[in-house]
Amino acid sequence: MNHQLRADRQLQEFKALQVSEGSEGEYNAVVVERSVDDLPQGDTLIQVNYSSLNFKDAMSFSGNKAVTRQYPHTPGIDAAGTVVSSADAGLSAGDEVLVIGYDLGMNTSGGFGQMIRVPSEWVVKLPSGLSQKESMILGTAGFTAALCVEKLLLNGVQPSQGRVLVTGASGGVGMIAVALLSKLGFDVVASTGKQEAHARLTELGASEVVDRNVLGEENTRPMLKEDWAAAVDVVGGDTLSNVIKSLRYGGSVAACGLVQSPSFTTTVLPFILRGVNLLGVDSVQLPIETKRRLWNKLGAQWKLDQLENICTDIGFAELDASLAQVLKGGANGRFVLDLNS
Ligand SMILES: NC(=O)c1ccc[n+]([C@@H]2O[C@H](COP(=O)([O-])OP(=O)(O)OC[C@H]3O[C@@H](n4cnc5c(N)ncnc54)[C@H](OP(=O)(O)O)[C@@H]3O)[C@@H](O)[C@H]2O)c1
């Protein structure tokens, strides 16, 4: 869909979710009218049409100071929209763009508002193969899934080597990792805590769906039976420990998340006896040229057909409840926020 710029007055005043800290340390979120004059410095003003919900947004929404130091604040680490004005010669009014990561939605007013102002170095032109909405169905979660998959491929992982595990598979990163790995010909095993996600994960290409409790329990043995050629892990904690211990000889795990715990334990044995690889993945501070290259791939040879099937559409009215659901690990696919709703 081609989005028209809103009328002038609506470009000056805009609607946004604002989270405030109360005197008792509690956090309240309300939809308010804000002024463009209150947005942070930046050379590019963007009218936001779509955003999406990520685990980090739920943390910011709940007052997690490791994500957002200063309140009142408008969260939203993802935004897709239309350039209103830019000092960058490469960007013109009307260009369709997206922004993910860097400081957006953390301490810079984010995509849960109809306008953002950011440095042009954060801006990606919308790939020709994606609509604004599709780019937000992917969002940071989908982009991170793609980064994980690309890292595994760069480390030599191939479909012929055996099964690939995806943890937290009903969440945003997990679901898109399942779909992408399956599209690339891998035999994908999805780990989830949600019975109701099984059918969708199978539709996305998982050959087997396993209960996350099996992988998530503490196990003090230094090594486990070899199973996975590779894994995408969004969970961390004991799950990541067990995944490392059960990688096949030379296997790799791309680790990007911490929903179970940021801490995990391992000995060096899987590394020195099986030559396994632990690959760190960060989508936030990645150089913009890498972001632009991978977004173009997601709009072309890595374009997923099933994006609408994993999307729940929400407006401002559903934002609070949806963020609360994500915070308690209840995501089932991707929530996309329509800022014009
Ligand atoms: N490194 C990066 O750049 C980067 C980028 C994006 C996201 N992340 C991180 O990746 C993680 C996932 O992000 P997301 O956007 O996919 O989140 P999400 O949509 O909220 O999904 C997280 C999934 O993890 C599983 N889960 C939740 N609590 C769990 C627990 N206690 N133990 C085990 N599994 C649990 C659930 O799936 P099941 O019920 O299916 O198990 C849940 O749906 C988060 O930690 C996020 O911060 C990192």
Side-chain angles (χ1 to χ4, degrees), residues 53-56 59 140-141 144 147 167-174 191-194 197 201 212 234-235 239 255-260 281-284 326 328-334:
L53 274 53
N54 295 278
F55 193 70
K56 201 189 258 180
M59 292 165 88
T140 289
T144 304
L147 263 182
T167 63
S170 73
V173 177
S191 161
T192 181
K194 298 187 193 82
L201 289 167
R212 79 171 180 217
V234 311
V235 170
T239 303
C256 70
L258 43 60
V259 284
Q260 183 178 21
V281 172
D282 167 58
S283 66
V284 180
V326 170
K328 60 173 201 255
N332 194 349
R334 298 280 293 146

Side-chain angles (χ1 to χ4, degrees), residues 148 152 157 163-167 181 228-233 243 247 251-255 279:
C148 289
L152 293 176
V157 175
R163 311 197 301 168
V164 177
L165 175 73
V166 175
T167 63
L181 284 163
W228 318 112
V232 171
D233 178 60
V243 170
L247 285 172
S252 300
V253 53
L279 310 172

Side-chain angles (χ1 to χ4, degrees), residues 14 51 76 183 219-220:
F14 67 95
S51 182
K183 180 182 172 82
N219 188 325
T220 52

Side-chain angles (χ1 to χ4, degrees), residues 72-250:
H73 173 63
T74 295
I77 64 170
D78 291 344
T82 312
V83 172
V84 176
S85 60
S86 178
D88 187 318
L91 292 171
S92 309
D95 282 353
E96 293 190 279
V97 293
L98 66 98
V99 181
I100 63 160
Y102 301 118
D103 194 49
L104 188 70
M106 293 182 69
N107 291 290
T108 298
S109 188
F112 297 170
Q114 292 172 322
M115 303 288 282
I116 55 171
R117 187 157 48 208
V118 295
S120 55
E121 300 81 45
W122 295 5
V123 177
V124 176
K125 283 205 181 163
L126 192 72
S128 56
L130 291 175
S131 66
Q132 289 183 32
K133 182 178 175 190
E134 286 173 326
S135 77
M136 289 293 101
I137 300 176
L138 292 165
T140 289
F143 181 81
T144 304
L147 263 182
C148 289
V149 171
E150 195 167 67
K151 268 219 164 163
L152 293 176
L153 296 176
L154 287 171
N155 277 274
V157 175
Q158 292 169 17
S160 59
Q161 293 166 344
R163 311 197 301 168
V164 177
L165 175 73
V166 175
T167 63
S170 73
V173 177
M175 227 173 231
I176 295 164
V178 167
L180 204 45
L181 284 163
S182 161
K183 180 182 172 82
L184 297 177
F186 286 91
D187 180 359
V188 186
V189 176
S191 161
T192 181
K194 298 187 193 82
Q195 190 64 38
E196 67 273 22
H198 285 218
R200 199 186 273 179
L201 289 167
T202 306
E203 270 164 38
L204 291 174
S207 64
E208 193 182 338
V209 182
V210 297
D211 183 346
R212 79 171 180 217
N213 291 322
V214 176
L215 283 156
E217 279 176 14
E218 187 182 357
N219 188 325
T220 52
R221 291 171 59 191
M223 308 261 275
L224 297 170
K225 182 170 160 289
E226 289 183 58
D227 200 341
W228 318 112
V232 171
D233 178 60
V234 311
V235 170
D238 288 326
T239 303
L240 180 57
S241 306
N242 291 333
V243 170
I244 292 169
K245 292 178 202 175
S246 53
L247 285 172
R248 285 188 181 190
Y249 190 90

